Amino acid sequence: MITREHCAALDAADTLAHCRARFDLPADTIYLDGNSLGAMPANVPARIERALKQEWAHGLIRSWNDADWYPAPQRTGNKIATLIGAGQDEVIVADSTSVNLFKVLVAATRMRPGRNVILAEGTNFPTDVYIASSVAEMTGCELRCVDPDDIVAAIDDTVAIVSLTHVNYKTGKRYDMEAVTRQAHEAGALIVWDLCHSAGAMPVNLNRCAADFAVGCGYKYLNGGPGAPAFVFVASRHIEAMRQPLTGWHGHSKPFDFTHDYAPHPGIDRMLTGTAPQLGVIALESALEAFDGVDLDVLRDKSVALGNLFVELTDQELKGLGCTLASPRDAEQRGSQVSLGHAEGYAIMQALIARNVIGDFRAPDILRFGFAPLYVRYVDIWDTIAQLKDIIATDAWNTDEFKARKSVT
Amino acid sequence: MITREHCAALDAADTLAHCRARFDLPADTIYLDGNSLGAMPANVPARIERALKQEWAHGLIRSWNDADWYPAPQRTGNKIATLIGAGQDEVIVADSTSVNLFKVLVAATRMRPGRNVILAEGTNFPTDVYIASSVAEMTGCELRCVDPDDIVAAIDDTVAIVSLTHVNYKTGKRYDMEAVTRQAHEAGALIVWDLCHSAGAMPVNLNRCAADFAVGCGYKYLNGGPGAPAFVFVASRHIEAMRQPLTGWHGHSKPFDFTHDYAPHPGIDRMLTGTAPQLGVIALESALEAFDGVDLDVLRDKSVALGNLFVELTDQELKGLGCTLASPRDAEQRGSQVSLGHAEGYAIMQALIARNVIGDFRAPDILRFGFAPLYVRYVDIWDTIAQLKDIIATDAWNTDEFKARKSVT
């Protein structure tokens, strides 16, 4: 039998426990939704205040040079590169994940002119499928969506690009990046990895896997704040051939020459489009300091331990309460979340949130719990399961308020 | 002879003079670059601090509902609508100007399937031309760039879309929006107006002109901060037919149903792509309060008066110093800026900035001065001309430092 005391002992022995103090978290809340919006690193407000009151208000336009705003997307990209196994100058911060995916997919189709299939996963996060569908329409390609288990078998010599998310947003199921990338390459295809649910939650080894492209968002495990800018990775061997379609002036080799013809920047800067959303980039850059000195293997170990504890406590405490495990039981196949299925999932999650235990709900029946290893404690897992047990066992979710409550995220 | 006293008297009589206190401006600086980065409205830092410390840190994911983050792009778009003559629910805040232009141009080509020319202006701001060029390549259209004076004559029945910027970034020359829009419509074309250099500087009457589409940025005269999100206008009669290519989940009719197929939102929300950059949207929304109670005709009158004063003082004070007027002399044809040509423009602007008088330089020889009527004073114009005169007359610009100084904006 696992007890709360056991969980507290795990926290006492946690070598990442000190990282929690790097975040400004409400004392009365258990937060297992860092895979939707990461918690706020405590250093962000002071950095933003300086950006506003000194750099913007006092420095004005001069701050593009004097406060180093101009190279912030590159600088922040390089910081993210260290978290995802990319080299320096292979990652840049820009736009949203959706917009970056559009850029990458169009550019990738141009690199495989004899092939016309974009292979994707039907159960991927919808925006990835929507964008791939639009790219297919604009480039004359066919979007072929298959089940996750059928991806590898579906990679044939008509496939130009395989577009996958490393960790599924709903189930938390994780692909073997190295194996699938190899398979794609053996068939002559290129591969794009969406890292929204893995960057900052575990080591990602883009270059060791020889991945071609990747995109990911800044506001989940990277803690960049609501709607933080996203990032895009292009393997250095592809950069020179990369012709992305959102050819805004900041992707130009000399944007301030204001020439008539577009000439892409020789490096990763060509993935930029418009003026960088500076407040968002600055928040993200300072947020990344929460990872300073953190060993990503240790981070992954804690993530796995939190997930395994959640699964074990589900077995132990929630038996007979209608919960199913909607994530892989094997941690090796799992990202940093555990999802439970329950027919009354929506109302149960609302009841849980009303008790300041925050996860989220994904239609039709998924209760989703994310474990950001920098700030989630083992006792948080215990307390969450205890509240879940009480809410379900006592029918506390079964009220009009919880069943009808508006929730968009 | 115009004197500084005369200018001070104009300030004393200025009915918009009180608006300057709505901004946090450095006391020792004259700022004539609000057309590149608007000054900071004084209410922004407190609003952002609340967004960080209360909404993000304490509210966490709940703030998408509880702090009304989710409808912020629509709400802020509606506020901008009142400044540009658009109706409610015809404007939304999203992405960058470049990205929004891509969306609009692709969607517009789909509405004119029998035509294949995108007509643009060769001297437009480069990003507009770069994006139009990419759209032409992807849609099989031809991008035809002509001189500004030849635009109207070039609108024939092969033209699908006319893509123009209302006020030219370099010369400040302003199109007659109503006449050119009519001309485009008479030839069966659609028209896109880029309002980067007019929104917030003068009344814009999109619906009175029957404009089809518009885009514009949030960080110039709207004062939304560095890299603030941009806006996009779609006339209500076009919204239902608008199929834009950046089909991210936030443009979906029901983004949180997470369905496999893309179904665009019935309204202006279909112009959204990814998650809104909340910090940027919040800064822009609060910045727009600087326009509260401001009559845009009065704003335009002051803008014209500031521009005319600048031109008159150029004539009076800078005679024989090598300056040419690079903007229209007739205020009716001018936006809210005056540009001067000078062979040593780059170094002169650097010398001016070193004296805390901030305009900007545009290659090859343009000194650019923008007049944000909410905070620029008549004496600022006098003092700028006086410094310019001194710098040029005494060769103060002629140093290695000023000639070589790095400046990107």
Side-chain angles (χ1 to χ4, degrees), chain B residues 39-90:
Chain B
M40 188 181 78
N43 64 328
V44 170
R47 176 67 191 91
I48 290 291
E49 187 178 9
R50 181 157 58 88
L52 295 173
K53 294 185 179 174
Q54 290 179 37
E55 295 170 13
W56 178 13
H58 194 268
L60 293 158
I61 191 69
R62 295 170 291 205
S63 290
W64 282 102
N65 291 313
D66 299 348
D68 282 329
W69 285 353
Y70 190 56
Q74 293 84 341
R75 203 169 57 231
T76 309
N78 281 334
K79 215 158 172 177
I80 293 171
T82 65
L83 299 176
I84 57 177
Q88 295 294 284
D89 304 324
E90 289 185 317

Side-chain angles (χ1 to χ4, degrees), chain A residues 24-26 28-29 31 33 36-41 44-45 48 52-53 56-58 60-62 64-65 69-70 95-96 98-99 102 106 110 122 125-127 129-131 134 137-139 145 169 219 223-227 243 245-249 252 256-262 273-279 283 353 356 358 362-363 406-409, chain B residues 24-26 28-29 31 33 36-41 44-45 48 52-53 56-58 60-62 64-65 69-70 95-96 98-99 102 106 110 122 125-127 129-131 134 137-139 145 169 219 223-227 243 245-249 252 256-262 273-279 283 353 356 358 362-363 406-409:
Chain A
D24 183 354
L25 284 156
D28 61 351
T29 302
Y31 195 56
D33 205 14
S36 192
L37 173 66
M40 188 180 79
V44 170
I48 289 291
L52 295 173
K53 294 185 178 173
W56 178 14
H58 194 268
L60 292 159
I61 190 70
R62 295 171 289 204
W64 281 102
N65 292 313
W69 286 352
Y70 191 55
D95 301 306
S96 65
S98 302
V99 169
F102 185 88
V106 172
R110 290 168 170 172
F125 189 72
T127 211
V129 180
Y130 303 157
I131 291 287
S134 177
E137 180 185 352
M138 288 199 79
T139 58
C145 288
Y169 79 107
Y219 55 77
N223 312 303
R243 292 206 310 113
L246 296 177
T247 49
W249 65 309
H252 195 279
F256 293 95
D257 280 5
F258 299 99
T259 57
H260 179 76
D261 293 316
Y262 186 76
T273 301
T275 305
Q278 244 351 282
L279 296 184
I353 292 171
N356 286 340
I358 305 181
R362 289 292 175 258
K406 184 187 157 215
S407 175
V408 292
T409 46
Chain B
D24 183 353
L25 284 157
D28 61 349
T29 302
Y31 195 56
D33 206 13
S36 193
L37 174 65
M40 188 181 78
V44 170
I48 290 291
L52 295 173
K53 294 185 179 174
W56 178 13
H58 194 268
L60 293 158
I61 191 69
R62 295 170 291 205
W64 282 102
N65 291 313
W69 285 353
Y70 190 56
D95 301 306
S96 66
S98 301
V99 170
F102 185 89
V106 171
R110 291 168 170 176
F125 187 74
T127 213
V129 180
Y130 304 157
I131 291 287
S134 177
E137 181 185 352
M138 288 198 78
T139 59
C145 287
Y169 79 106
Y219 56 77
N223 311 303
R243 288 206 311 115
L246 297 177
T247 49
W249 64 309
H252 195 280
F256 292 97
D257 279 6
F258 299 98
T259 57
H260 180 77
D261 293 314
Y262 186 75
T273 299
T275 304
Q278 259 324 305
L279 295 184
I353 292 171
N356 286 340
I358 305 179
R362 287 293 175 258
K406 183 189 158 212
S407 176
V408 292
T409 46

Side-chain angles (χ1 to χ4, degrees), chain B residues 2 41 49-50 67 108 112 185 215 230 272 277 290 299 376 399:
Chain B
I2 300 167
E49 187 178 9
R50 181 157 58 88
R112 287 292 181 271
H185 287 171
V215 296
L272 297 177
L299 186 87
V376 171
T399 70

Side-chain angles (χ1 to χ4, degrees), chain B residues 151-173:
Chain B
I151 282 285
V152 168
I155 306 176
D156 60 28
D157 62 8
T158 66
V159 173
I161 314 156
V162 182
S163 180
L164 296 175
T165 295
H166 188 202
V167 172
N168 185 277
Y169 79 106
K170 202 187 264 190
T171 63
K173 188 167 176 180

